[in-house]
Amino acid sequence: MAEKVFYGKGVRRIKKDDSKLYDSIVDLDKNIWDAKVLDYRTQKLIAIAISATNHEGSSFLKQVSKAKKELNITRDEMMDVLKVVLLTSGMIPFNKALAVVNKLYD
């Protein structure tokens, strides 16, 4: 797994101002991604689907870019994820996420 990058606003400042809190965030992250049954790739696909439903394009772009680069997530896999987003969250998040996927894979 690559070096941790937290996209939440303010985390860099927490790292600087409150190392104990930052260490707790890092530990939580390690525990989350250390699943007992699901592999990391599957977890990332779930994270991508959740990110797509949040209507926040830059976070989704970062999630997909990283997954494509580090895990070789294919366009077909992304489309399977987006079909679930369409079913569970509707056309608006689906279309927004699809625009990002098209940009990254075309």
Side-chain angles (χ1 to χ4, degrees), residues 69-105:
K69 180 181 176 183
E70 294 178 2
L71 300 171
N72 297 315
I73 300 294
T74 67
R75 181 184 181 84
D76 288 340
E77 288 172 305
M78 286 305 310
M79 292 309 299
D80 284 349
V81 167
L82 294 187
K83 289 175 188 175
V84 175
V85 170
L86 176 61
L87 177 65
T88 60
S89 298
M91 188 60 77
I92 293 171
F94 172 80
N95 280 333
K96 287 182 177 187
L98 182 58
V100 171
V101 168
N102 286 340
K103 179 180 176 180
L104 289 173
Y105 284 89

Side-chain angles (χ1 to χ4, degrees), residues 4 6 21-32:
K4 285 286 128 200
F6 297 104
L21 176 58
Y22 181 80
D23 290 344
S24 295
I25 293 168
V26 170
D27 287 343
L28 176 62
D29 186 74
K30 287 178 187 174
N31 286 324
I32 296 299

Side-chain angles (χ1 to χ4, degrees), residues 27-50:
D27 287 343
L28 176 62
D29 186 74
K30 287 178 187 174
N31 286 324
I32 296 299
W33 296 114
D34 186 24
K36 293 182 180 187
V37 179
L38 296 178
D39 63 15
Y40 180 66
R41 182 184 188 85
T42 302
Q43 288 181 292
K44 285 303 284 186
L45 290 170
I46 293 168
I48 288 167
I50 293 168

